[in-house]
Amino acid sequence: MSTQTTPPPAMQKALPPGRYGFFDLVRSEWTKIRTVRSTMWTIGVTIVLGIGIGALVCALTRSHWSSQNIGQRVSFDAPATSLIGLLFAQFAIGILGVLVISAEYSTGTIRATFSAAPNRSRVFAAKIVVFGVLSFIVAELTSFVAFFLGQFLLSSPATHATLSSPGAFRAVFGGGLFVCILGLIGMGLGTIIRHTAGAISAFVGILLVLPIITAALPNQLSQDVRKFMPDRIGVDVLTTNGQHVGAFSPWVGLLILCVYAVVLLVIGASMLEKRDA
Amino acid sequence: MIEAKGLSKHYGAKRAVEQLSFTVRPGVVTGFLGPNGSGKSTTMRMIMGLDTPSAGDVTVKGKHFKNLQWPLREVGALLEAKAIHPGRSARAHLMMLAQTNHLSNARVDELLELVGLSAVANKRAGKFSLGMGQRLGIAAALLGDPEILLFDEPVNGLDPDGIRWVRNLLKGLAREGRTVFVSSHLMSEMALTADEVVIIGRGKLISQTSIEDLLSQSTENFVRVRSPEAAKLKAALELQGAVVAVEDDGSLSVRGANEVAIGELAAKLPVVLHELAPQSASLEEAFMELTEDSIEYHGTTTGGPINSTGAKS
Ligand SMILES: Nc1ncnc2c1ncn2[C@@H]1O[C@H](COP(=O)(O)OP(=O)(O)OP(=O)(O)O)[C@@H](O)[C@H]1O
Ligand SMILES: [Mg+2]
């Protein structure tokens, strides 16, 4: 029929030595995270809630200071009050943590990613590094600014603190860590659940619904379980007036949260390896 | 070179791909043909290491995809579903891919130019038309200048101009000695693009052949003969082992003897011929014939009354 031409010789491409590296993946993940709007939104909300709510409460406390009784004035926790917004900011950072992985699944980007870099664990590690560092910086920045702004607004005669006041530095730095670790917990949930809405629901459920359920347990059991809840641990990290609600010291509490994050991320990583993308 | 050996993928009870073995060689465009749901996309995902085979094995350049040193520089793929974040710009999408394999941003701009997306490079991909999305996917596949290329339904959503562009692109890539594997459920498209075809139905290999052999193998190839002495000719042909059918208009459809043999026989008899016309099946017909038994999702054009018993499904 037609003239059968012999195919051309197979292409022999010269490749650079070695193989694609971890730092290449970190750069790629950084490009990914900074080029979607949801990152800007969630970080913006994290900062605004984290700083704004504490500032508002501090300003109101200052203006109502004279109407407070002695007991209230003495037990007033100036650092914790300025950092109260972190307990709201944790939801925004958690949503970003969920999105950095779940959005890859919902949009199908994960297939493009794994087609370019099939070593899934390495990609995931790069993602954790990028999100972890970003959320650490955002959370600490939020926490420190919230503290200084809050203390400024709590000027005399209201009680106010400096970083060298007892427990203040721990509350500020620990508060930032708390928010950062919750972001990583969100990321772990996002990796395991893969669906954005499902993972966000799980995240909110753990922080808001689980405490309500455990509160309904018989008294002693309830106390035993409640102290392991992230919300309790978070409140204790911020508290500097000795009125702790849980049973763990702030640093032990943060360590427990780290264990949660690591466990979720490790489960997520193993599922990421096994499941079809 | 892509090699599949006994490749299988089961989703629960569903056997999406079953014992598939084929070889895709460099220097030619190899079409991957099969009706809807026959397992083409699933096979491509397994080649790319995205789905794990239930059994069997598939390698590129003799390695599992996961073990390639520079995956994006060695294998490029345009997969079926859009794999792009709608909020990310075309440039950012290509950049994040390029960076994984240490490719430069200049390379990204080169590709945007090549696929004609430079003007919209910074627009959010979610605003792209189907065709523009497809072009972005093709740019991603070509980003690493790979030796091996996979395209799952690349002309989907493209206008005639775009279709011609893809066709020439694929041929050009093969001419450079690359391995080009492209899926389609349209035989007519493959006829214009591919040199070889791997045909599957219900996840199983039906045939791997060149386009030319596919045509000549088809039983739909016959010779139409008209003669005032049709009966005499028919008898003589049948004696020689040909299969002859008399059509409504009195012409003969001869299978099993070509126009040369028929003409010589007619001269020998002799009988007068009014027409001697080889009819080659279109590739579409050849394809239909091969996959007839393996089509899962039939559409019906003549639906019976809705409440009739034994309704078609
Ligand atoms: N993740 C999955 N889970 C369950 N079944 C699946 C999955 N992916 C594919 N299938 C099934 O496997 C079969 C093959 O699907 P596949 O998408 O590979 O076909 P295809 O040849 O690409 O079809 P098309 O021409 O329509 O693109 C189909 O019946 C499909 O429903
Ligand atoms: Mg398909």
Side-chain angles (χ1 to χ4, degrees), chain B residues 188-199:
Chain B
S188 51
E189 182 49 41
M190 282 302 99
L192 295 168
T193 318
D195 309 285
E196 285 209 3
V197 279
V198 173
I199 301 178

Side-chain angles (χ1 to χ4, degrees), chain A residues 10-46:
Chain A
M11 184 178 179
Q12 291 287 332
K13 222 188 113 190
L15 290 166
R19 48 169 56 221
Y20 67 107
F22 185 68
F23 189 69
D24 294 323
L25 298 179
V26 169
R27 275 183 72 205
S28 169
E29 289 301 328
W30 170 241
T31 301
K32 267 190 217 168
I33 205 168
R34 71 179 173 79
T35 53
V36 289
R37 288 185 184 182
S38 52
T39 305
M40 304 308 146
W41 274 108
T42 47
I43 286 179
V45 171
T46 303

Side-chain angles (χ1 to χ4, degrees), chain B residues 11 14 16 35-42 45 80 153 185 297:
Chain B
Y11 296 107
K14 172 88 201 169
N36 288 132
S38 53
K40 303 182 293 294
S41 300
T42 305
R45 284 198 304 273
E80 182 172 45
E153 317 251 359
H185 51 253
Y297 309 108

Side-chain angles (χ1 to χ4, degrees), chain A residues 276-277, chain B residues 9-12 14-17 32-45 51 80 152-153 156 183-185 200 202-203 296-297:
Chain A
D276 289 341
Chain B
K9 182 71 184 180
H10 305 157
Y11 296 107
K14 172 88 201 169
R15 290 168 180 255
V17 175
F32 190 26
L33 274 160
N36 288 132
S38 53
K40 303 182 293 294
S41 300
T42 305
T43 302
M44 290 209 165
R45 284 198 304 273
D51 284 20
E80 182 172 45
D152 200 354
E153 317 251 359
N156 223 347
S183 85
S184 176
H185 51 253
I200 62 169
R202 295 194 185 218
E296 275 174 279
Y297 309 108

